[in-house]
Structures are given as C-alpha cells and as structure tokens.
Amino acid sequence: MQTRYFWRGRRAEAEAAYAALDAVFEEEGAPLALTEIDEAAGIVEVAAYLAAEDGDDRTEEFRTAAGLRPDDEIGREELADRDWMAAVLAELKPVRAGRFVVHGAHDRDKVGAHELSIEIEAGLAFGTGHHATTAGCLAMIDEIVRLRRPGRVLDLGTGSAVLAIAAAKLARLQVLATDVDPVAVAVAAANVRANGVARFVETIRADGFAAPAVRRRAPYELIVANILAGPLIHLAPAFRRHAARRADVILSGILVSQVAAVRAAYRAQGFVHRETRVIGEWAALHLRRAAA
C-alpha cells in the first residue's frame, strides 16, 4: 500500500520542502511531486508517495522531513495497489502533430512510412507528447524548421526531450536540451539515445539560462520553452539576450487566460507575435525577435 502525503504553500517554501524531502527519501526511492495549484496566488503543492505497511501513518515523518511547522496542515491519501505504468501505457494513444507521431513502444506498428517517429514511454519526466502544450509546440517546430532551418537550437525545460528529439529528427539540427530537474535530464538523455539522435542532442542540467554551456552556445536561432507562464514572463529579458536577431521563439505551458500577459512581456523585449495556437485551454506562442 502506498500513501500520498502533501502540503500546499507559497512557491519558495514548497520548493525548499521538496529539496528537503528529496534529501531524506532519496535512498528509499520515494516518488516526489511539485505541482502548481494556483499560479496567480503562487500556491504550490509538494507531495511524497510513501510506502506504508499495515496502514502506518507517516504524516509526522513527512512533516519533519519537509521542515514544516507543527501547525501546518498535511494531507493524506491512501492509494490502492495498481500497476500504474501498465495502466498509463494502455491509455496512451499515438499523437500526431505536424509530421511527428509520438508513441510508446507498444504502438510502433502504428507509425506510417512517411511519418517521423518519436518514441517516449510514460515515466518520471513530464512530456509524453499527449499534453496539448507539447502537441502545439511540435506543430510549430515542424512549420518553422521546414521554412527556415535554424542553426543553433535550445530546448529550455526539456522534460522528456520530445521537442529536442523532434528538431533533431526533422533536420538533424544541433540541439541543447536543458532542465533544472536532474531526474528529467537523465530521462531525457535516455530518450535521446533510444530515438537515435544522440549525435545531435546534448542534455544538461541548467536553471534557465544560467549554465555556462547555455551562454556559450548563444545566440540561438530557435528557442523552445514549454514550461509555465510565470517563469516565461520572468525570463523574457534573458530570452532577448540569448536569441539571435530574427530568431524564432516557441513558448507554451500557457493557459489561454495568460496569453496577453506573456505576449506583453515579450513585446517589451522586442519580440514580434507571429502565431497563437490554441488547443483546449492551452496556448502555444510563436514569436520572432526583431531584426534591430
């Protein structure tokens, strides 16, 4: 039996709690999660999935490990035993976006002769290709690469490396794929190898544009970032510093209600709006840095 313990608070506190939990439960291999609950209010949930024998309550262990206060409210949810990976894979169907088909190993036979296969298994890192944000980015990458064939490409916040793999498969582009989460970087590297594009895609751990390797390769002709609206707005000046003149930028992880704020932040940095693609409640933006 596994139990999910969770606490919600401000982003800085939640991130500190996540880091503390990671240090305590690393050897146990307990899955952890950090989820944005309310972006406007800055509320984030940190959760740990802990094994419990005979219904043991590990609430206080979670509280202590996370460095929380005695009066902080901890949620507790019992999870029934289930082969979650098998269940997820059974429900995931191939996704087509542009010339790409994103699929699991169980659907290899569903890829057409003239389609570009991206094989991603459901795993620890975000991004199987089934989320609307990923699909929107894939379609935009297909269009941009076909028309402009950019040189240096950056996939910022790569997750499972779907977008980096797409750029490499489409035109053998050299891509730097980064993520702040070391687990995501390891998963991304494995996916890059599995898809046969290790010669074209380098995966590294980096927080935004801070890593020397990210700065060294700039300026980029194409930057893709499928993260969240808040970080995208915060990073707008850094995008300008690292984007070549007339560079294409694809931004996603943006709710339709957040599009105006993101566009305004990038317009102030000299980026011109090219396209907004909406899938459900999510949007992907194509922007281009002005020539001057």
Side-chain angles (χ1 to χ4, degrees), residues 47-256:
Y49 295 76
L50 305 178
E53 296 182 5
D54 301 323
D56 289 343
D57 187 351
R58 301 180 67 179
T59 300
E60 292 310 312
E61 185 181 354
F62 174 89
R63 183 193 307 278
T64 301
L68 300 175
R69 295 174 290 271
D71 58 343
D72 284 331
E73 184 178 351
I74 309 297
R76 181 170 178 259
E77 179 185 9
E78 300 289 346
L79 302 176
D81 290 333
R82 184 183 180 192
D83 187 343
W84 290 101
M85 186 61 73
V88 169
L89 290 176
E91 294 168 2
L92 292 182
K93 304 301 180 187
V95 169
R96 287 172 166 82
R99 284 172 279 180
F100 304 110
V101 181
V102 185
H103 62 92
H106 59 296
D107 278 325
R108 287 175 185 165
D109 59 340
K110 296 180 181 177
V111 180
H114 301 291
E115 293 178 316
L116 291 174
S117 161
I118 302 177
E119 187 170 305
I120 304 288
E121 295 300 334
L124 295 174
F126 172 83
T128 60
H130 291 74
H131 196 276
T133 59
T134 310
C137 289
L138 285 170
M140 285 184 168
I141 289 172
D142 188 11
E143 293 173 1
I144 291 169
V145 171
R146 181 169 48 208
L147 294 173
R148 306 196 73 193
R149 193 181 175 88
R152 286 159 290 194
V153 181
L154 174 64
D155 179 9
L156 188 76
T158 193
S160 60
V162 171
L163 303 180
I165 293 167
K169 285 206 167 190
L170 197 57
R172 298 191 172 189
L173 301 179
Q174 293 293 326
V175 186
L176 180 61
T178 74
D179 205 287
V180 69
D181 183 354
V183 173
V185 174
V187 172
N191 287 334
V192 165
R193 292 192 297 271
N195 281 272
V197 291
R199 288 186 299 158
F200 307 106
V201 181
E202 179 184 355
T203 56
I204 66 167
R205 184 180 182 278
D207 186 357
F209 292 91
V214 176
R215 297 195 301 269
R216 188 166 55 247
R217 292 197 183 190
Y220 298 92
E221 283 81 41
L222 173 62
I223 304 176
V224 184
N226 181 13
I227 45 178
L228 291 170
L232 288 173
I233 291 172
H234 174 73
L235 288 169
F239 270 80
R240 176 178 174 81
R241 291 194 300 271
H242 293 83
R245 290 192 174 106
R246 296 188 56 78
D248 290 291
V249 171
I250 298 173
L251 307 178
S252 197
I254 306 165
L255 292 168
V256 172

